[in-house]
Amino acid sequence: MDRLNDKRIVAGVTVVAVMVGAAAMFFLNKRNRTSLTSRSTLQPAYEQAIAQIKQKFEVPTDYIQRIKEGMESEFKLGLSKPTGEKPSSIKMLPSFIDRIPTGHETGISYALDIGGSNLRTMKLELDGHGKVKTILIRKSSISHELQTGDADALFDFIAASIGDVVDETAESNNFGFTFSFPVDQTDVSSGKLIKWTKGFQTKNVEGQDVVELLNNALERSGIRAKVTVLINDTVGTLISSAYDPSDGETVAGVILGTGTNASYIESKANIEKLETGEKEGVMVINTEWGNFDSPAYSVLEPTEFDLTIDKNSPNFSCQHFEKMVSGMYLGEIVRLALVDFAEAGFFSHRNSSYILTPYRFGTEFMSEIERDDTMQLIHVDAFLKRIDINNTSYQERKLLKELCHAVALRSARLVSGAIAAIVDRMGKKDTKSVVAIDGALFEHYPGYAGHIEQGLKEIGYNNVVLKLIKEGSGYGAAIAANVMSSTE
Ligand code: ADP
Ligand code: MG
């Protein structure tokens, strides 16, 4: 805790220094607004503030290295038999997926994907050359009534949407089910819901096997289909990428969206905690890396804004890595910093609801802001007007853009350390390997992928290919159902 207190003191001193420097600038800035066409020069107080932002969110190469080493030792601990001593912050859940597709698999396969309130069912065809063709896709949303009602009603609804896509005359209708809620899995086709998240409260589901509930509902409705594989979105992303080996061998599946998580391929011999005697071959491990360095921070270096987010969150002292990395939080970090800058006189829009309301400033706003390369940041100006922040000065816009850049850059560099940990764990540092990534943060944030690559290079990882995977959570489930049901 001493380190944290020190940090807080340093942060406090910084804020005071910034405030003193800023008081005069505030009035100057108000009187002296640059027009959108005039030449852009940065006032010294803003230059100083931007330098402090950069410093606060900086991730030097040795910090990336420490993330890599810290993650690796937690991976090891998470795979070992629990000793009753300090448990790993990373769960390392066995997925029971122990066959990796080659791209040669063929046939019709089905997927059910429940990521939140949206549900998708798909009929897909694997072409045997690494490509998946969508034959049918149905999307529906799970109503508030179903989210708060009884299990049977919810699972009957899901069964009906499966009924919409299956071929009743086919010999077997095997479904892969991607269920993005925390489940306790004991084999590939069953898993108990630990706890509902994302607003769901459907009764009599927690503690139950969701696959069994669904297969029972299918039977009740006389629908000839069966869920044979249960996975999460990271595993789906990995499997989906592995099916198309044209870019190289896939070693991991990463999610960088609302949250962050990763899965990778581990040798069974290394999964000490696995109770089965089998030690040959491999198995996909769902790391749950978002919880890295929790409950206490010992590797991550949180700012005062990160500590505020953690303190005010419903899951205090959990998911520390996720809270510094993923889409749900980056915008909130920027908002908290803006509140501080407003108090110090650097940002004169403190009454905007986007600045006042927690989580109202989304990570997608940061993307918009960073995309502007004009001299006077005119697109930032136009964008801010759309969210009711009018009459910003160039100084304010530049400060905001640099803040967004620093927060996103930190996120990507932390991720580079985590990816290196997986690559190293698999002994693939010197071989070309594909890391499959899904999620809006990775897909849409300008420069984000490049920042991860740069971080990897700095610590000597030059052979990692970052590959964007879309639809991985659906396709991956269907491919996994095909691979796991084959009798070879
Ligand atoms: P999920 O992770 O829930 O499956 P997504 O992959 O779509 O869904 O990620 C949604 C998250 O990504 C949101 O938290 C949002 O803030 C962030 N996000 C959405 N659009 C963008 C964007 N254009 N740039 C950066 N982040 C974005
Ligand atoms: Mg997703």
Side-chain angles (χ1 to χ4, degrees):
M1 285 312 279
D2 274 346
R3 209 164 58 87
L4 287 185
N5 282 335
D6 287 351
K7 271 178 185 285
R8 286 194 191 116
I9 291 162
V10 172
V13 170
T14 315
V15 168
V16 171
V18 167
M19 283 175 81
V20 171
M25 295 315 306
F26 179 54
F27 295 105
L28 202 93
N29 183 37
K30 275 213 130 172
R31 272 196 300 122
N32 206 8
R33 262 177 219 295
T34 43
S35 82
L36 287 181
T37 50
S38 68
R39 215 169 66 84
S40 46
T41 46
L42 208 52
Q43 293 156 358
Y46 276 88
E47 257 173 31
Q48 214 182 329
I50 288 168
Q52 275 160 355
I53 290 170
K54 286 187 176 154
Q55 196 187 10
K56 200 182 269 291
F57 292 100
E58 194 184 7
V59 179
T61 307
D62 62 320
Y63 183 6
I64 300 180
Q65 185 71 29
R66 286 198 298 280
I67 298 282
K68 191 209 116 201
E69 285 163 13
M71 278 254 177
E72 262 189 294
S73 61
E74 289 297 278
F75 287 170
K76 248 194 195 143
L77 191 59
L79 290 171
S80 63
K81 284 207 172 84
T83 57
E85 281 169 37
K86 184 177 166 275
S88 173
S89 64
I90 304 183
K91 284 203 186 80
M92 306 297 274
L93 305 170
S95 70
F96 299 91
I97 298 287
D98 57 2
R99 294 181 193 180
I100 310 299
T102 59
H104 299 309
E105 296 79 0
T106 53
I108 300 292
S109 205
Y110 295 92
L112 163 67
D113 180 9
I114 304 181
S117 55
N118 289 317
L119 176 156
R120 298 187 311 161
T121 40
M122 286 172 256
K123 180 178 184 179
L124 304 165
E125 184 172 6
L126 315 190
D127 76 352
H129 303 286
K131 298 280 174 289
V132 178
K133 205 172 110 195
T134 307
I135 297 175
L136 270 175
I137 179 161
R138 293 277 179 270
K139 296 182 191 183
S140 49
S141 73
I142 301 173
S143 67
H144 181 74
E145 286 71 45
L146 290 171
Q147 288 185 35
T148 52
D150 201 65
D152 280 359
L154 174 64
F155 284 91
D156 283 342
F157 174 79
I158 301 171
S161 69
I162 286 182
D164 282 347
V165 297
V166 291
D167 178 357
E168 291 285 336
T169 59
E171 222 165 86
S172 78
N173 289 317
N174 285 345
F175 265 77
F177 181 10
T178 303
F179 186 64
S180 299
F181 295 89
V183 293
D184 184 9
Q185 238 173 312
T186 44
D187 64 63
V188 74
S189 62
S190 58
K192 288 184 179 147
L193 175 68
I194 299 168
K195 203 167 176 24
W196 277 126
T197 55
K198 310 179 201 182
F200 273 73
Q201 290 166 13
T202 314
K203 294 169 205 66
N204 302 319
V205 187
E206 286 179 1
Q208 302 294 310
D209 179 355
V210 291
V211 176
E212 198 181 312
L213 289 173
L214 185 50
N215 282 334
N216 289 346
L218 288 166
E219 225 168 274
R220 262 201 309 277
S221 320
I223 296 163
R224 287 193 51 225
K226 197 170 176 284
V227 173
T228 53
V229 162
L230 178 68
I231 60 172
N232 80 351
D233 48 5
T234 66
V235 179
T237 300
L238 190 165
I239 295 295
S240 180
S241 172
Y243 186 68
D244 177 10
S246 59
D247 294 322
E249 184 194 344
T250 300
V251 297
V254 174
I255 298 292
L256 288 163
T258 306
T260 184
N261 189 15
S263 62
Y264 74 102
I265 302 167
E266 183 59 272
S267 303
K268 280 186 188 165
N270 292 333
I271 314 175
E272 285 176 30
K273 66 180 180 184
L274 205 59
E275 292 301 330
T276 68
E278 211 185 325
K279 290 294 173 205
E280 300 270 297
V282 296
M283 182 183 286
V284 177
I285 294 285
N286 165 25
T287 63
E288 295 289 343
W289 77 11
N291 197 52
F292 173 61
D293 215 29
S294 314
Y297 292 96
S298 60
V299 181
L300 295 168
E301 299 173 16
T303 63
E304 64 271 35
F305 313 120
D306 301 301
L307 297 175
T308 301
I309 285 182
D310 190 30
K311 188 164 65 101
N312 296 338
S313 69
N315 57 348
F316 171 65
S317 83
C318 300
Q319 301 293 103
H320 282 165
F321 183 69
E322 179 167 85
K323 284 171 180 166
M324 290 169 74
V325 162
S326 78
M328 179 159 172
Y329 303 102
L330 299 190
E332 178 64 3
I333 296 170
V334 167
R335 189 194 70 82
L336 288 168
L338 274 183
V339 170
D340 260 25
F341 279 123
E343 273 166 22
F346 281 86
F347 199 75
S348 55
H349 310 273
R350 67 172 88 185
N351 291 329
S352 159
S353 68
Y354 287 88
I355 306 300
L356 285 175
T357 318
Y359 291 92
R360 185 98 200 261
F361 195 93
T363 300
E364 60 277 17
F365 294 2
M366 296 167 62
S367 277
E368 287 265 350
I369 288 163
E370 267 224 62
R371 221 169 260 130
D372 185 354
D373 284 326
T374 64
M375 273 237 294
Q376 286 294 326
L377 301 176
I378 54 172
H379 300 312
V380 174
D381 184 60
F383 171 72
L384 290 174
K385 282 180 178 141
R386 289 211 303 277
I387 62 164
D388 304 330
I389 300 178
N390 295 298
N391 301 320
T392 51
S393 68
Y394 168 73
Q395 313 292 321
E396 291 170 318
R397 295 195 294 275
K398 178 73 175 161
L399 179 83
L400 175 58
K401 184 177 170 187
E402 294 288 346
L403 177 60
C404 293
H405 179 71
V407 170
L409 180 63
R410 183 185 68 162
S411 158
R413 289 176 68 83
L414 295 178
V415 169
S416 69
I419 288 176
I422 286 185
V423 174
D424 206 35
R425 166 95 215 142
M426 294 181 63
K428 298 281 184 185
K429 188 175 178 187
D430 300 318
T431 23
K432 185 180 166 194
S433 30
V434 172
V435 172
I437 310 184
D438 186 11
L441 176 63
F442 179 77
E443 184 178 359
H444 298 300
Y445 202 99
Y448 194 91
H451 299 327
I452 300 180
E453 279 163 358
Q454 169 65 25
L456 282 165
K457 286 207 177 89
E458 282 173 30
I459 57 166
Y461 288 74
N462 300 306
N463 299 305
V464 180
V465 178
L466 306 178
K467 176 168 144 192
L468 173 68
I469 290 287
K470 292 200 209 180
E471 303 288 352
S473 61
Y475 285 10
I479 297 164
N482 175 304
V483 184
M484 294 306 289
S485 67
S486 90
T487 47
E488 283 160 42

Short mmCIF file of all heavy atoms in Angstrom, two decimals, residues 115 198 233 255-259 326-329 362-368 371 438-442 444-446, ligand 1:
data_model
loop_
_atom_site.label_atom_id
_atom_site.label_comp_id
_atom_site.label_asym_id
_atom_site.label_seq_id
_atom_site.Cartn_x
_atom_site.Cartn_y
_atom_site.Cartn_z
N GLY A 115 -24.35 -13.50 -26.28
CA GLY A 115 -23.29 -12.66 -25.72
C GLY A 115 -23.83 -11.74 -24.65
O GLY A 115 -23.12 -11.27 -23.78
N LYS A 198 -24.53 -8.90 -16.69
CA LYS A 198 -25.11 -8.11 -17.78
C LYS A 198 -26.63 -7.93 -17.64
O LYS A 198 -27.37 -7.93 -18.64
CB LYS A 198 -24.80 -8.74 -19.15
CG LYS A 198 -23.32 -9.05 -19.35
CD LYS A 198 -23.04 -9.68 -20.69
CE LYS A 198 -21.71 -10.43 -20.67
NZ LYS A 198 -21.34 -11.03 -21.94
N ASP A 233 -16.38 -16.80 -25.81
CA ASP A 233 -16.01 -16.05 -27.02
C ASP A 233 -14.51 -16.09 -27.36
O ASP A 233 -14.15 -16.09 -28.54
CB ASP A 233 -16.52 -14.60 -26.96
CG ASP A 233 -16.19 -13.92 -25.65
OD1 ASP A 233 -15.50 -14.52 -24.81
OD2 ASP A 233 -16.63 -12.76 -25.47
N ILE A 255 -9.97 -11.31 -26.77
CA ILE A 255 -11.10 -10.38 -26.89
C ILE A 255 -10.66 -9.02 -26.39
O ILE A 255 -10.12 -8.90 -25.28
CB ILE A 255 -12.31 -10.88 -26.06
CG1 ILE A 255 -12.82 -12.24 -26.56
CG2 ILE A 255 -13.45 -9.83 -26.08
CD1 ILE A 255 -13.46 -12.26 -27.91
N LEU A 256 -10.86 -8.00 -27.22
CA LEU A 256 -10.62 -6.62 -26.80
C LEU A 256 -11.85 -5.81 -27.18
O LEU A 256 -11.89 -5.14 -28.22
CB LEU A 256 -9.36 -6.05 -27.47
CG LEU A 256 -8.05 -6.62 -26.95
CD1 LEU A 256 -6.89 -6.34 -27.92
CD2 LEU A 256 -7.72 -6.05 -25.57
N GLY A 257 -12.89 -5.95 -26.37
CA GLY A 257 -14.16 -5.26 -26.63
C GLY A 257 -14.60 -4.60 -25.33
O GLY A 257 -13.82 -3.87 -24.71
N THR A 258 -15.83 -4.91 -24.92
CA THR A 258 -16.32 -4.40 -23.63
C THR A 258 -15.35 -4.82 -22.53
O THR A 258 -14.98 -4.03 -21.67
CB THR A 258 -17.71 -4.98 -23.33
OG1 THR A 258 -18.55 -4.70 -24.45
CG2 THR A 258 -18.29 -4.37 -22.07
N GLY A 259 -14.98 -6.07 -22.56
CA GLY A 259 -14.01 -6.59 -21.59
C GLY A 259 -12.78 -7.10 -22.32
O GLY A 259 -12.64 -6.93 -23.54
N SER A 326 -9.78 -2.40 -21.19
CA SER A 326 -10.88 -2.69 -22.12
C SER A 326 -11.83 -1.53 -22.38
O SER A 326 -11.85 -0.52 -21.67
CB SER A 326 -11.66 -3.91 -21.63
OG SER A 326 -12.51 -3.56 -20.58
N GLY A 327 -12.63 -1.70 -23.43
CA GLY A 327 -13.52 -0.66 -23.94
C GLY A 327 -14.50 -0.11 -22.92
O GLY A 327 -14.86 1.06 -22.96
N MET A 328 -14.91 -0.94 -22.00
CA MET A 328 -15.86 -0.47 -21.00
C MET A 328 -15.26 0.66 -20.15
O MET A 328 -16.00 1.52 -19.66
CB MET A 328 -16.25 -1.64 -20.09
CG MET A 328 -17.21 -1.22 -19.00
SD MET A 328 -18.09 -2.63 -18.37
CE MET A 328 -18.91 -1.83 -16.98
N TYR A 329 -13.96 0.67 -19.98
CA TYR A 329 -13.34 1.58 -18.99
C TYR A 329 -12.52 2.74 -19.57
O TYR A 329 -12.35 3.75 -18.87
CB TYR A 329 -12.44 0.77 -18.05
CG TYR A 329 -13.20 -0.33 -17.35
CD1 TYR A 329 -13.10 -1.65 -17.78
CD2 TYR A 329 -14.06 -0.04 -16.29
CE1 TYR A 329 -13.82 -2.66 -17.16
CE2 TYR A 329 -14.77 -1.05 -15.66
CZ TYR A 329 -14.65 -2.36 -16.11
OH TYR A 329 -15.37 -3.35 -15.50
N GLY A 362 -17.96 7.50 -23.89
CA GLY A 362 -17.62 6.14 -24.35
C GLY A 362 -16.26 6.05 -25.02
O GLY A 362 -15.72 7.05 -25.52
N THR A 363 -15.71 4.85 -25.05
CA THR A 363 -14.43 4.62 -25.71
C THR A 363 -14.52 4.93 -27.21
O THR A 363 -13.56 5.35 -27.84
CB THR A 363 -13.97 3.18 -25.45
OG1 THR A 363 -13.83 3.01 -24.03
CG2 THR A 363 -12.63 2.88 -26.08
N GLU A 364 -15.72 4.73 -27.78
CA GLU A 364 -15.88 5.06 -29.21
C GLU A 364 -15.71 6.56 -29.45
O GLU A 364 -15.29 6.97 -30.53
CB GLU A 364 -17.21 4.52 -29.76
CG GLU A 364 -18.46 5.04 -29.10
CD GLU A 364 -18.83 4.29 -27.81
OE1 GLU A 364 -17.97 3.59 -27.24
OE2 GLU A 364 -19.98 4.44 -27.35
N PHE A 365 -15.96 7.40 -28.45
CA PHE A 365 -15.71 8.85 -28.59
C PHE A 365 -14.21 9.09 -28.77
O PHE A 365 -13.78 9.93 -29.52
CB PHE A 365 -16.16 9.62 -27.33
CG PHE A 365 -17.64 9.63 -27.05
CD1 PHE A 365 -18.54 8.96 -27.87
CD2 PHE A 365 -18.14 10.35 -25.97
CE1 PHE A 365 -19.90 8.97 -27.59
CE2 PHE A 365 -19.50 10.38 -25.69
CZ PHE A 365 -20.39 9.69 -26.50
N MET A 366 -13.43 8.32 -28.01
CA MET A 366 -11.96 8.48 -28.09
C MET A 366 -11.47 8.18 -29.51
O MET A 366 -10.61 8.86 -30.03
CB MET A 366 -11.28 7.55 -27.10
CG MET A 366 -11.59 7.84 -25.64
SD MET A 366 -11.07 6.49 -24.54
CE MET A 366 -9.31 6.46 -24.79
N SER A 367 -12.06 7.13 -30.11
CA SER A 367 -11.71 6.77 -31.49
C SER A 367 -11.95 7.95 -32.43
O SER A 367 -11.12 8.29 -33.26
CB SER A 367 -12.58 5.61 -31.98
OG SER A 367 -12.08 4.39 -31.55
N GLU A 368 -13.12 8.56 -32.29
CA GLU A 368 -13.50 9.70 -33.14
C GLU A 368 -12.49 10.83 -32.98
O GLU A 368 -12.05 11.44 -33.95
CB GLU A 368 -14.88 10.25 -32.70
CG GLU A 368 -16.02 9.37 -33.08
CD GLU A 368 -16.66 9.82 -34.40
OE1 GLU A 368 -16.33 10.91 -34.92
OE2 GLU A 368 -17.47 9.05 -34.89
N ARG A 371 -9.04 10.22 -34.46
CA ARG A 371 -9.00 10.10 -35.92
C ARG A 371 -8.74 11.44 -36.61
O ARG A 371 -8.43 11.49 -37.79
CB ARG A 371 -10.32 9.49 -36.40
CG ARG A 371 -10.12 8.47 -37.48
CD ARG A 371 -11.36 7.68 -37.78
NE ARG A 371 -11.32 6.38 -37.15
CZ ARG A 371 -12.27 5.86 -36.42
NH1 ARG A 371 -13.39 6.55 -36.20
NH2 ARG A 371 -12.15 4.68 -35.89
N ASP A 438 -10.68 -10.43 -31.54
CA ASP A 438 -12.02 -9.94 -31.84
C ASP A 438 -12.36 -8.82 -30.86
O ASP A 438 -11.85 -8.79 -29.74
CB ASP A 438 -13.03 -11.11 -31.68
CG ASP A 438 -14.44 -10.71 -32.12
OD1 ASP A 438 -14.61 -9.64 -32.74
OD2 ASP A 438 -15.37 -11.50 -31.85
N GLY A 439 -13.21 -7.93 -31.24
CA GLY A 439 -13.66 -6.86 -30.34
C GLY A 439 -13.53 -5.50 -30.97
O GLY A 439 -12.61 -5.23 -31.73
N ALA A 440 -14.48 -4.64 -30.62
CA ALA A 440 -14.57 -3.32 -31.27
C ALA A 440 -13.38 -2.42 -30.94
O ALA A 440 -12.97 -1.60 -31.75
CB ALA A 440 -15.87 -2.63 -30.86
N LEU A 441 -12.79 -2.57 -29.76
CA LEU A 441 -11.64 -1.74 -29.40
C LEU A 441 -10.48 -2.02 -30.37
O LEU A 441 -9.89 -1.12 -30.96
CB LEU A 441 -11.22 -2.03 -27.96
CG LEU A 441 -9.96 -1.32 -27.45
CD1 LEU A 441 -10.13 0.19 -27.44
CD2 LEU A 441 -9.60 -1.81 -26.04
N PHE A 442 -10.19 -3.29 -30.57
CA PHE A 442 -9.10 -3.69 -31.48
C PHE A 442 -9.45 -3.33 -32.92
O PHE A 442 -8.62 -2.83 -33.67
CB PHE A 442 -8.83 -5.18 -31.36
CG PHE A 442 -7.75 -5.67 -32.29
CD1 PHE A 442 -6.42 -5.44 -31.99
CD2 PHE A 442 -8.06 -6.35 -33.47
CE1 PHE A 442 -5.40 -5.87 -32.85
CE2 PHE A 442 -7.05 -6.78 -34.33
CZ PHE A 442 -5.72 -6.54 -34.01
N HIS A 444 -11.64 -1.05 -34.18
CA HIS A 444 -11.94 0.32 -34.60
C HIS A 444 -11.02 1.40 -34.07
O HIS A 444 -11.01 2.50 -34.59
CB HIS A 444 -13.38 0.68 -34.21
CG HIS A 444 -14.40 -0.19 -34.86
ND1 HIS A 444 -14.53 -0.27 -36.23
CD2 HIS A 444 -15.33 -1.03 -34.34
CE1 HIS A 444 -15.51 -1.12 -36.51
NE2 HIS A 444 -16.00 -1.61 -35.39
N TYR A 445 -10.27 1.13 -33.01
CA TYR A 445 -9.50 2.23 -32.44
C TYR A 445 -8.29 2.54 -33.33
O TYR A 445 -7.47 1.66 -33.59
CB TYR A 445 -9.03 1.92 -31.00
CG TYR A 445 -8.73 3.20 -30.27
CD1 TYR A 445 -9.67 3.75 -29.39
CD2 TYR A 445 -7.57 3.91 -30.50
CE1 TYR A 445 -9.43 4.96 -28.77
CE2 TYR A 445 -7.33 5.12 -29.89
CZ TYR A 445 -8.27 5.64 -29.03
OH TYR A 445 -8.04 6.84 -28.42
N PRO A 446 -8.18 3.78 -33.81
CA PRO A 446 -7.09 4.08 -34.75
C PRO A 446 -5.70 3.83 -34.14
O PRO A 446 -5.41 4.34 -33.06
CB PRO A 446 -7.26 5.57 -35.08
CG PRO A 446 -8.43 6.06 -34.34
CD PRO A 446 -9.01 4.96 -33.52
P1 ADP B 1 -18.54 -7.19 -26.78
O1 ADP B 1 -17.16 -7.09 -26.23
O2 ADP B 1 -19.57 -6.83 -25.77
O3 ADP B 1 -18.81 -8.48 -27.47
P2 ADP B 1 -17.76 -5.29 -28.85
O4 ADP B 1 -16.64 -6.12 -29.33
O5 ADP B 1 -18.63 -4.65 -29.87
O6 ADP B 1 -18.74 -6.08 -27.90
O7 ADP B 1 -17.14 -4.17 -27.91
C1 ADP B 1 -17.91 -3.15 -27.39
C2 ADP B 1 -16.99 -2.20 -26.65
O8 ADP B 1 -16.06 -1.63 -27.56
C3 ADP B 1 -17.67 -1.05 -25.96
O9 ADP B 1 -17.24 -1.02 -24.61
C4 ADP B 1 -17.22 0.20 -26.65
O10 ADP B 1 -16.82 1.19 -25.77
C5 ADP B 1 -16.03 -0.22 -27.45
N1 ADP B 1 -16.15 0.35 -28.77
C6 ADP B 1 -17.24 0.34 -29.59
N2 ADP B 1 -16.99 1.01 -30.73
C7 ADP B 1 -15.71 1.45 -30.62
C8 ADP B 1 -14.88 2.23 -31.46
N3 ADP B 1 -15.31 2.71 -32.62
N4 ADP B 1 -13.64 2.48 -31.03
C9 ADP B 1 -13.20 2.01 -29.85
N5 ADP B 1 -13.94 1.31 -29.01
C10 ADP B 1 -15.18 1.03 -29.38
#
